[in-house]
Amino acid sequence: MPYDLKELAAISGQPGLYRLVRPARHGVLVESLDAKATRSLAPASNKVSLLSEIGIYAQDSDETVSLSDVFDRIHQHYEATLPVSAKSPETELSGFLAEVMPEYDRQRVYTSDIKKLVSWYGIVSQHVPYAAAAEAEPTTDEPLSTGGVIGEIDEAPTPSGNPEVTK
């Protein structure tokens, strides 16, 4: 995935996004994704939602598209500069998401969800590096497996057949 969202979370009752630092006795120690990068404790009573586990509903009722895939699509279309903001009108926001993800479910994805998506993408694109997807096919002539290659390099067997036996 181009954006690594494994350690990023949204915390109920707190604005912005956070990087998970480590578990603590009464919650999770987090670091804000902003210029200050302040550390605080997210108590166990708050809901912590990992971005890597969030998806956008697709028109197929059983399907969702992961947030990292949606972020990748946004990056492919716009890079870091979005044509909309969280304060844009509803028609602009829904048009933006329809352009990036035409298969999104217009009944189950609300305007507030699109506003969150736009806001989160802005934060992630500023504070998390974008890693281009690796090529599907290898570019070198090296074998993908060592099957057969190791056997060609084997040394002469020891007299007893056991390489650990020395005379």
Side-chain angles (χ1 to χ4, degrees):
M1 300 290 162
Y3 283 114
D4 185 14
L5 303 179
K6 292 177 191 167
E7 296 179 356
L8 302 182
I11 301 172
S12 66
Q14 297 183 12
L17 294 176
Y18 298 85
R19 182 181 319 277
L20 301 177
V21 177
R22 68 174 182 262
R25 178 173 282 189
H26 300 290
V28 179
L29 184 63
V30 295
E31 181 178 84
S32 64
L33 281 182
D34 59 12
K36 295 178 184 177
T38 56
R39 289 189 175 192
S40 62
L41 181 69
S45 60
N46 286 12
K47 181 179 179 184
V48 177
S49 301
L50 294 173
L51 296 189
S52 61
E53 296 177 356
I54 296 175
I56 304 291
Y57 290 117
Q59 289 175 351
D60 181 9
S61 62
D62 295 336
E63 187 180 334
T64 62
V65 177
S66 71
L67 196 59
S68 60
D69 287 341
V70 175
F71 281 0
D72 184 39
R73 292 179 186 189
I74 292 171
H75 183 81
Q76 297 302 324
H77 277 80
Y78 302 106
E79 301 216 357
T81 307
L82 296 180
V84 294
S85 71
K87 296 182 180 186
S88 296
E90 182 177 339
T91 55
E92 286 182 24
L93 290 168
S94 59
F96 162 75
L97 188 56
E99 184 178 339
V100 172
M101 188 181 155
E103 74 274 16
Y104 89 94
D105 188 341
R106 283 138 178 91
Q107 299 295 319
R108 295 190 291 171
V109 178
Y110 301 110
T111 304
S112 61
D113 299 327
I114 303 171
K115 287 180 179 183
K116 236 184 262 187
L117 173 76
V118 168
S119 174
W120 289 353
Y121 180 79
I123 295 169
V124 169
S125 66
Q126 287 179 357
H127 298 284
V128 177
Y130 180 84
E135 292 181 14
E137 296 183 27
T139 56
T140 64
D141 292 333
E142 295 179 20
L144 295 176
S145 166
T146 58
V149 176
I150 292 176
E152 297 170 4
I153 304 173
D154 286 344
E155 297 177 12
T158 57
S160 68
N162 185 351
E164 295 182 8
V165 174
T166 58
K167 289 190 176 186

